[in-house]
Structures are given as C-alpha cells and as structure tokens.
C-alpha cells in the first residue's frame, strides 16, 4: 500500500528531453494508466519509477521515502515487461522464485506457499514446470505476473504488458488485470499506447505527450472533458472531428453550418462555472480577425444522419458523403461540408452512397471548443458533470 | 515463385567450385591421406619408404615419454580451455557492465588476438623473461623465484598463460556479442528483483550464452592442441626436460629434427584421433546442457 509522488520529474538523454517536469500523485491502491503516443515519455517515466533510469532533476517519493536515487532493488517494486522478460532457460516456477531466492529474505516454505498462492490466483499451476518456450504468449505473461505478485511489492509497474498478445487474449487479460487489482489492491502504474486499454483499465488515466502530462482524469472525464486538442483527438476512436469555426453570438459559424452553443462548462481556470455560448465567444481568440476564432470538436459518434435522430432537434446541416466504411456494428461516413471534412457514425445498414447528400444532426450536449493557437479547450457543452470514476475515492480528492 | 536460379547450368556451378575443391584437395585431403599412409611406413630423407605395418603405432604405445606427452597435452588443453573461458567471460562481463569507454576496453582486450602467434610469444618472452622481463621484478617481489628456463612446472605454467592470453580476444568478441544479445529486460528484471551481479552472470547470462560458449570450447580445444605450437617453440622449445613437450611440438620435432616421417605421421594421426574423441565427448556433453532459445 503505497502512494507515489512525482515532483517536477525530469529526464534528459543527451539533448533530448524525454520527461519534462512531471508532477503526479499515484494514490494508494490506485490503478493508474499512463497513455500516449510513441516517444511521449511514458515508458521513461515508468523506468524512472523502477529506478532503471536516473532522474536528471526532480523527486520521486514512495509514501514518505525519497527514492529518487535509490537502487531498483531497494524500491520494492515489481515490473512487468512487454516482452514478458522471462528467463528462457528456467521453468515457470524457477522464473517466479529466482528473484526471491536471490535476495535471501524469504524462507523456502514461505516461497513455496506464495508460489502456490500466486499460481492459484493466476491459474498457472500447470505451467510451473514448463519452460517459457513451451508456453503461449498469454501463459508467459501470466507467469510474468506471477513473478511480480509473489514478492508482494509496494507497487506494480507494467510496461505495455498486453501489447504482444493477440486481440482476443488482450481483452481477456484486460479483464483479468482488473480482477487481479481488485483482489490485491496494490498501487499499479500501467503504461500503454492503446487508448482503449487505458480507458478500460484505469481508475484514472494520465495522457502524456512530448514529455508532459496533458491531463489526469478518470476515463469518462477524459472523454467528456478533454483539456486540449491532443487529448480530445487521442482519446476516442475514431478521433474527434476538428473543424475551424467562428464564434458569433453564441453560435459556431462555418460556411456550411451554424451550430448554436448551449450553456456549458468552461475548463479555463474557472473550473465548475457554467457559461452560455455568448460567454464562450468572449473566451475565444479576440484578435483572430479573419482567422477562425475557435476549433469546434465533435466526436463522430455524436453526429448522426438527421433522419435517424429526429429527437435531437431542428438544427441540421447538409453534407456530402465522400466515403463509407462499414464497421459491422456501425457505418463510418466520411463527409465534407464547405472546406471541412468530418467523420460521422451511422446505422450499420444505412443507405448512404458516396457523392450523395446527407442531412446531419448532432448531440448538442457533446460540443467542444478549442483555442486555434494553443489547442486548449475553453468550452464544453456537456450539461452534466463527468460521471465519477469506478471507485469514488479516486475522484474525490 | 520457384527457387532462384543462381547458375545458368551445372557446368557453371561446377566451374565456380573448382578453386575451392582444388585447394582443399591439394592442401588438405591429399596431405591427410598421405600422412595416414605414411604412418604405416618407415620413412625419412634420402631413403626408400619401407612398409612396417602397425609397428609405428606399437612403438608409440610402448613409449612412456610419448605417453607423458599425451597426458601433458590433455592437461595443457584442459587448463587453456578452462582458463580462456573463465578469464574471457569475466573480462566480457566487466566490459558489458562498464558504462563508458566500452570500445576502448574491447580494443585493448582484442589486441593480443591480432598478433601472429610468434610475435605474441616474443612479447610474452619480454614480459616474463626470468632476468629481463617487465613483470619479473614485481613477481619476484611477492616471493616467487621466477626461473622457468630451468623449472619445468613454471615453464608449463608460462606457456599455458601465454596461450590463454593470446586467445582471450577471440573469445571476448564472441562472448560480448552473445552477452549483448541477452534481452535488456532480463537484466532489468534481475536488477529490480535484487539479483546480484555475479548471480546474474552465472544464472542468467551464462545459460543463455551456452550455444556460444559451446562453440568456443570446441574452437579453444582445437586451438590448445594445434594452435599453440609457436609458444612452445619460442618460449621453451619443449623443455626444460620435456615439461612443455605437448603433442603438436613433439610431432614437429619427430618430423623436422629427427626426420622420422613415419613416426611423425603416426603421431599426427594419434593427435587427430585424440582431438576427435574429445570433440565427440564435448558435443555429447554440451548438447545436453546447451540452451537454444525459443
């Protein structure tokens, strides 16, 4: 049971800044997922936590201990790697016990008991006498997890542990990781580039880009209230549509449409205050001149062919269908309106043909505005606060 | 797609093979066959060969000084192979673990390998010469009376050391490649789990490196039996009183000092058999313990 605190953590490799001033608290018993594109510094952050890299600057604390310069072995953390990192010449059992045997801090009976317990938990009892090459990817990762949990560490550090598994197994292991965490309650930091994994696993998710934290929130809050364009486009698949607009009199104006902005929520410093569309206009770039004053963000799944959702109101606009992509459970429609293009989710068997015209409507509670220059979000039309995370304690500081 | 046709026809392929086959036959297979044949003859300069059947072999079987040369060679090879492997492994591990200047350490370790054996032997002679050697003073300062021109066991040790020293570079090249091939995550897992360095080397790296180590044991064995001639010749000439008279040097003397080509051929056949038997044993043993990765 451990709280991990990072203060102004920084890591440079020669002239590359991998991690640029991270401030983050991983709460006791929390499952925290760090997500971001390749090279965003997420793995480096995890390696700093493990002690495999030395911080250039800043501080890492585990509870009251400053571990910034502590050797990996003295941090009492366990790491699970993408490629499993099982010793190939050892059986499953030896792999699990090797680290414990090496430190002499466990009695043999204690080790046996813990291995049996972990094997039971992970259902790997029949793998204990096999070598890794006789195991499947999923089995190897289970053994690797077993090795991590037998030591009863203060924290689990997981570096893309599911990336090498096939899609079906990944989904299965995802559920198992959630179950395992519920059972053990050990503080876990989990790094992935897969936003679906981040959303499904994390009690809170840290989105990183370019060595910096972009946002830390429970998954639904990330999705509903992204703090900037990067988060908005990174979380959610397909990515959020971004269309340059002007904001005039509480209306997002584009050549092809006018979308009124209902009263919503600002994230710009005045957290928790609500503003209407007109006030949003004031927050838009006042010096924009002829340039668009804002970027309107709408997720493809919040756009509909008007005939499918008559309940959403009168405001519709016409767009041209460019391409359709059947996804089975839905039809992804690439559309253009004026100089803008966007994607829209439609009913799977909709009769939308490329070249045709479609009347488009949208969910007015799912609009976002971003500043064109900085990409910061300054307006969300959602009228309800983000639902609390899976565990209340993690969202109420 | 069908297999790629590299050659226009069999004739072209055969022509391209001719140089290799020719060189192998003229300089390898023919001399081997000839030596095998000569081992059944009494032969020397200026006299006709005389068929003696197995007499040469019988001579060797009853010759006690030859027996001791065989024993000496096996002991020599065992020490050289073990010494080379252990020292090279240790040096490789040090280079692997060091944070900066890896290339320089590597170059300085490999350098002796770049010397011809004769030059290497001369270098060693200057280093350990009983009166003039660079290291002689320091060694005598710790109470060892360096006198290997006269002291048999000392001479044996000196030749063993020289042979080990020369072969380290070659081994380190292969070992560093194998050690660098061990996935980083294994090292990191071991570090996080608190596995000590020595334990990491012995329990993690060495097992994964076994195919390479196996190869090196074979190569080093061949080296110890066949490639160490120059050290014996230049450092001790087989002496003092045959203390360093290993098989390869013994058969050289038989042939080119005593001009007993028949017996020398017999000795080379025996040497070939000894090494062949050792190879088979090593293959059997190491195959069993080698880990070939998934």
């Amino acid at each position: 049971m451990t709280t991990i605190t990072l203060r102004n953590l920084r890591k440079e490799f020669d002239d590359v800044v991998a991690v640029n001033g991270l401030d983050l608290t991983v709460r006791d018993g929390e499952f925290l997922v760090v997500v971001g594109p390749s090279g965003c510094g997420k793995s480096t952050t995890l390696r700093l936590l493990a002690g495999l890299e030395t911080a250039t600057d800043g501080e890492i604390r585990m509870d009251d201990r400053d571990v910034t310069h502590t050797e990996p072995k003295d941090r009492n953390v366990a790491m699970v790697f993408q490629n499993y990192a099982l010793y190939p010449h050892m059986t499953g059992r030896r792999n699990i016990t090797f680290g414990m045997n090496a430190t002499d801090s466990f009695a043999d009976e204690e080790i046996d008991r813990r291995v049996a317990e972990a094997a039971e938990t992970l259902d790997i009892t029949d793998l204990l006498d096999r070598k890794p090459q006789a195991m499947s990817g999923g089995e190897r990762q289970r053994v690797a997890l077993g090795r991590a949990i037998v030591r009863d560490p203060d924290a689990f550090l997981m570096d893309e542990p599911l990336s090498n598994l096939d899609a079906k197994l990944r989904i299965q292991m995802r559920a198992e990781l959630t179950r395992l965490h519920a059972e053990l309650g050990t503080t876990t930091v989990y790094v992935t580039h897969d936003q679906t994994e981040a959303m499904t696993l994390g009690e809170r998710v840290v989105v990183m880009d370019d060595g910096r934290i972009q946002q830390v929130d429970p998954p639904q809050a990330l999705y509903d209230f992204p703090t900037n364009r990067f988060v908005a486009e990174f979380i959610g698949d397909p990515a959020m549509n971004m269309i340059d607009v002007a904001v005039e009199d509480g209306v997002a104006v584009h050549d092809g449409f006018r979308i009124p902005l209902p009263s919503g929520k600002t994230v710009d410093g005045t957290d928790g205050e609500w503003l209407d569309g007109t006030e949003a206009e004031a927050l838009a770039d006042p010096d924009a001149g002829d340039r668009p004053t804002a970027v309107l963000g709408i997720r493809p799944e919040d756009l509909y062919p008007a005939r499918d959702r008559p309940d959403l109101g009168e405001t519709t606009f016409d767009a041209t269908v460019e391409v359709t992509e059947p996804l089975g459970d839905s039809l992804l429609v690439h559309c253009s309106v004026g100089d803008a293009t966007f994607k829209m989710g439609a009913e799977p068997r909709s009769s939308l043909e490329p070249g045709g015209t479609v009347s488009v409507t949208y969910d007015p509670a799912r609009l976002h505005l971003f500043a064109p220059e900085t990409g910061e979000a300054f307006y969300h039309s959602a009228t309800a606060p983000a639902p609390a995370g899976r565990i209340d304690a993690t969202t109420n500081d | 797609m069908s297999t790629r046709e590299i050659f226009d026809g069999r004739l072209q392929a055969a022509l391209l093979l001719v140089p290799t086959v020719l060189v192998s036959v003229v300089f390898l297979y023919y001399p081997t066959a000839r030596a095998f044949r000569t081992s059944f003859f009494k032969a020397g300069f200026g006299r006709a060969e005389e068929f003696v059947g197995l007499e040469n072999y019988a001579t060797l079987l009853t010759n006690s000084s030859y027996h001791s040369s065989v024993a000496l060679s096996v002991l020599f090879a065992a020490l050289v192979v073990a010494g080379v492997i252990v020292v090279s492994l240790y040096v490789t591990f040090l280079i692997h673990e060091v944070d900066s200047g890896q290339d320089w350490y590597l170059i300085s370790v490999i350098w002796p390998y770049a010397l011809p054996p004769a030059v290497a032997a001369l270098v060693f002679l200057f280093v350990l010469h009983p009166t003039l050697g660079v290291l002689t003073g320091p060694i005598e300062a710790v109470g060892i009376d360096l006198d290997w021109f006269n002291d048999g066991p000392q001479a044996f040790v000196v030749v063993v050391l020289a042979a080990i020293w020369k072969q380290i570079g070659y081994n380190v090249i292969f070992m560093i490649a194998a050690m660098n091939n061990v996935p980083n995550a294994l090292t990191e897992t071991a570090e996080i789990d608190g596995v000590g360095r020595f334990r990491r080397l012995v329990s993690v790296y060495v097992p994964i490196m076994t195919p390479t180590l196996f190869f090196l044991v074979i190569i080093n064995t061949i080296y110890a039996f066949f490639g160490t001639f120059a050290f014996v010749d230049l450092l001790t000439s087989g002496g003092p009183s045959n203390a360093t008279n290993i098989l390869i040097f013994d058969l050289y003397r038989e042939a080119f000092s005593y001009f007993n080509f028949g017996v020398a051929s017999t000795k080379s056949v025996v040497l070939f058999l000894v090494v062949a038997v050792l190879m088979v044993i090593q293959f059997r043993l190491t195959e069993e313990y080698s880990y070939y990765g998934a």
Side-chain angles (χ1 to χ4, degrees):
Chain A
M1 287 298 165
T2 309
T3 304
I4 306 171
T5 316
L6 312 183
R7 275 203 205 106
N8 193 27
L9 192 65
R10 190 177 171 83
K11 175 66 184 176
E12 294 167 16
F13 295 103
D14 297 325
D15 52 353
V16 178
V17 182
V19 175
N20 194 351
L22 238 55
D23 285 295
L24 179 68
T25 302
V26 187
R27 295 164 189 158
D28 188 8
E30 180 177 34
F31 199 119
L32 184 84
V33 176
V34 183
V35 67
S38 301
C40 72
K42 56 188 191 297
S43 283
T44 308
T45 306
L46 197 73
R47 295 169 60 80
L48 285 166
L49 285 176
L52 297 172
E53 304 284 354
T54 315
T56 311
D57 200 8
E59 189 185 53
I60 304 170
R61 302 188 77 87
M62 299 182 73
D63 289 336
D64 298 329
R65 265 184 323 142
D66 182 348
V67 297
T68 318
H69 300 287
T70 307
E71 289 285 308
K73 65 184 166 66
D74 299 323
R75 297 193 184 196
N76 196 23
V77 297
M79 191 147 167
V80 180
F81 293 85
Q82 178 176 353
N83 58 10
Y84 324 125
L86 293 179
Y87 304 113
H89 53 289
M90 298 182 190
T91 60
R93 182 189 305 278
R94 272 275 283 158
N95 259 292
I96 292 172
T97 57
F98 181 62
M100 299 175 83
N101 280 325
T103 53
D104 291 333
S105 47
F106 299 95
D108 285 353
E109 307 82 62
E110 172 73 3
I111 292 176
D112 287 346
R113 191 183 59 73
R114 288 196 187 196
V115 171
E117 217 174 86
E120 181 85 4
T121 308
L122 291 160
D123 194 20
I124 52 171
T125 310
D126 53 335
L127 301 179
L128 291 178
D129 297 318
R130 267 195 249 163
K131 287 190 179 176
Q133 65 201 96
M135 299 177 195
S136 69
E139 289 171 336
R140 287 180 204 182
Q141 197 54 288
R142 260 176 234 265
V143 173
L145 281 170
R147 177 172 62 189
I149 68 177
V150 282
R151 285 188 35 229
D152 191 18
D154 291 338
F156 289 129
L157 306 175
M158 305 199 181
D159 191 1
E160 310 226 10
L162 306 185
S163 295
N164 283 8
L165 305 181
D166 63 53
K168 192 178 161 203
L169 201 55
R170 195 154 54 218
I171 292 167
Q172 187 190 332
M173 285 295 285
R174 224 154 64 189
E176 288 205 26
L177 281 175
T178 308
R179 180 182 61 79
L180 194 66
H181 180 251
E183 199 173 314
L184 301 172
T186 309
T187 310
T188 304
V189 181
Y190 184 107
V191 161
T192 179
H193 67 272
D194 180 345
Q195 55 101 11
T196 315
E197 225 167 88
M199 298 289 279
T200 50
L201 280 170
E203 286 167 18
R204 284 193 308 158
V205 177
V206 178
V207 182
M208 279 187 76
D209 185 38
D210 206 16
R212 294 171 196 274
I213 291 179
Q214 304 295 321
Q215 187 169 359
V216 187
D217 262 317
Q220 197 62 50
L222 276 185
Y223 181 86
D224 290 341
F225 300 100
T227 56
N228 56 36
R229 278 188 69 162
F230 178 81
V231 176
E233 291 179 277
F234 192 80
I235 301 293
D237 180 36
M240 186 186 282
N241 296 302
M242 293 292 173
I243 303 170
D244 291 340
V245 294
V247 181
E248 290 164 4
D249 303 326
V251 177
V253 181
H254 182 265
D255 294 345
F257 59 79
R258 293 174 59 84
I259 293 179
L261 303 168
S263 62
K265 184 187 183 190
T266 175
V267 282
D268 190 27
T270 50
D271 190 32
E273 273 182 40
W274 301 89
L275 78 171
D276 61 25
T278 323
E279 283 168 301
E281 182 184 350
L283 285 167
D285 184 2
D287 305 322
D290 290 340
R291 286 179 289 122
T293 54
V295 177
L296 173 68
I298 312 179
R299 296 193 181 278
E301 52 270 39
D302 297 324
L303 288 166
Y304 309 88
R307 61 167 186 240
D308 290 350
R309 293 293 300 269
D311 57 304
L312 285 177
E314 300 290 295
T315 321
T316 64
F317 59 91
D318 287 341
T320 310
V321 177
E322 302 283 349
V323 179
T324 58
E325 293 177 1
L327 300 175
D329 61 340
S330 69
L331 182 73
L332 188 65
V333 188
H334 296 244
C335 303
S336 64
V337 55
D339 58 356
T341 58
F342 63 89
K343 299 183 190 100
M344 167 178 71
E347 293 296 315
R349 280 160 287 272
S350 307
S351 56
L352 293 169
E353 293 300 326
T357 303
V358 60
S359 178
V360 178
T361 187
Y362 57 91
D363 185 342
R366 291 277 167 261
L367 305 175
H368 313 269
L369 287 179
F370 303 93
E373 299 291 315
T374 61
E376 294 298 314
F378 61 85
Y379 165 82
H380 301 293
S381 68
T383 49
R390 256 183 273 142
I391 295 173
D392 281 350
T394 63
T395 55
N396 303 327
D397 239 349
Chain B
M1 216 182 95
S2 65
T3 44
R4 196 162 57 108
E5 289 292 334
I6 306 170
F7 308 112
D8 293 342
R10 281 167 178 275
L11 185 66
Q12 195 189 10
L15 276 173
L16 284 167
L17 274 175
V18 163
T20 310
V21 172
L22 210 62
V23 168
S24 301
V25 168
V26 171
F27 295 105
L28 205 62
Y29 299 128
Y30 175 70
T32 305
R34 194 57 204 262
F36 190 67
R37 179 183 172 275
T38 309
S39 71
F40 298 105
F41 285 80
K42 193 170 232 171
F45 274 131
R47 58 188 155 112
E49 289 184 348
E50 179 193 336
F51 182 75
V52 293
L54 292 171
E55 193 189 305
N56 289 337
Y57 289 90
T59 311
L60 293 187
L61 267 178
T62 53
N63 183 340
S64 68
S65 91
Y66 185 69
H67 293 174
S68 59
S69 178
V70 172
L72 193 72
S73 294
V74 172
L75 176 66
F76 177 79
L79 289 175
V80 168
V81 171
V84 168
I85 294 284
V86 169
V87 174
S88 304
L89 194 61
Y90 183 64
V91 169
T92 304
F93 189 56
L94 291 182
I95 294 175
H96 181 265
E97 295 295 293
V98 79
D99 285 330
S100 60
Q102 265 200 353
D103 292 350
W104 292 107
Y105 290 115
L106 203 53
I107 288 168
S108 60
V109 167
I110 292 170
W111 169 74
Y113 177 63
L115 296 175
V119 177
L122 284 176
V123 168
F124 224 79
L125 190 60
F126 284 117
V127 170
L128 281 182
H129 190 282
T131 48
L132 307 168
V134 180
L135 286 182
T136 308
I139 290 172
E140 299 210 319
V142 290
I144 298 168
D145 183 19
L146 209 57
D147 186 27
W148 54 274
F149 281 5
N150 300 310
D151 184 323
Q154 271 195 21
F156 184 73
V157 169
V158 167
V159 177
V160 166
L161 288 179
I164 291 174
W165 172 73
K166 171 76 170 72
Q167 191 68 354
I168 287 171
Y170 180 84
N171 280 252
V172 167
I173 294 173
F174 282 91
M175 286 186 187
I176 198 85
M179 205 176 274
N180 284 338
N181 255 344
V182 175
N184 239 341
L186 294 187
T187 307
E188 291 172 346
T189 301
E191 276 176 16
I192 291 173
D193 284 352
V195 177
R197 271 177 205 250
F198 182 71
R199 181 112 197 229
R200 174 151 52 89
L201 172 66
V202 172
S203 300
V204 179
Y205 293 170
V206 167
I208 295 174
M209 290 165 67
T210 43
T212 300
L213 296 178
F214 170 43
F215 161 77
L216 288 172
V217 165
I218 301 288
I219 293 292
N220 291 340
T221 306
I222 293 170
Y223 162 80
F225 277 102
F226 297 106
T228 47
F229 170 79
F231 293 108
V232 178
D233 191 33
L234 286 166
L235 290 174
T236 63
S237 298
S241 51
N242 285 341
T244 56
N245 187 26
I246 59 174
L247 286 174
I248 188 75
F249 187 77
D250 185 54
L251 85 84
Y252 159 81
R253 245 189 345 199
E254 193 70 57
F256 300 109
S257 298
Y258 310 144
F259 302 109
N260 291 328
F261 293 147
V263 177
S265 295
T266 312
K267 285 181 172 177
S268 69
V269 170
V270 170
L271 176 57
F272 167 75
L273 290 175
V274 168
V275 176
V277 167
L278 282 176
M279 291 291 105
V280 171
I281 295 172
Q282 284 177 353
F283 265 96
R284 285 272 163 79
L285 284 179
T286 16
E287 197 78 350
E288 201 167 309
Y289 296 108
S290 266
Y291 157 77
Y292 293 99

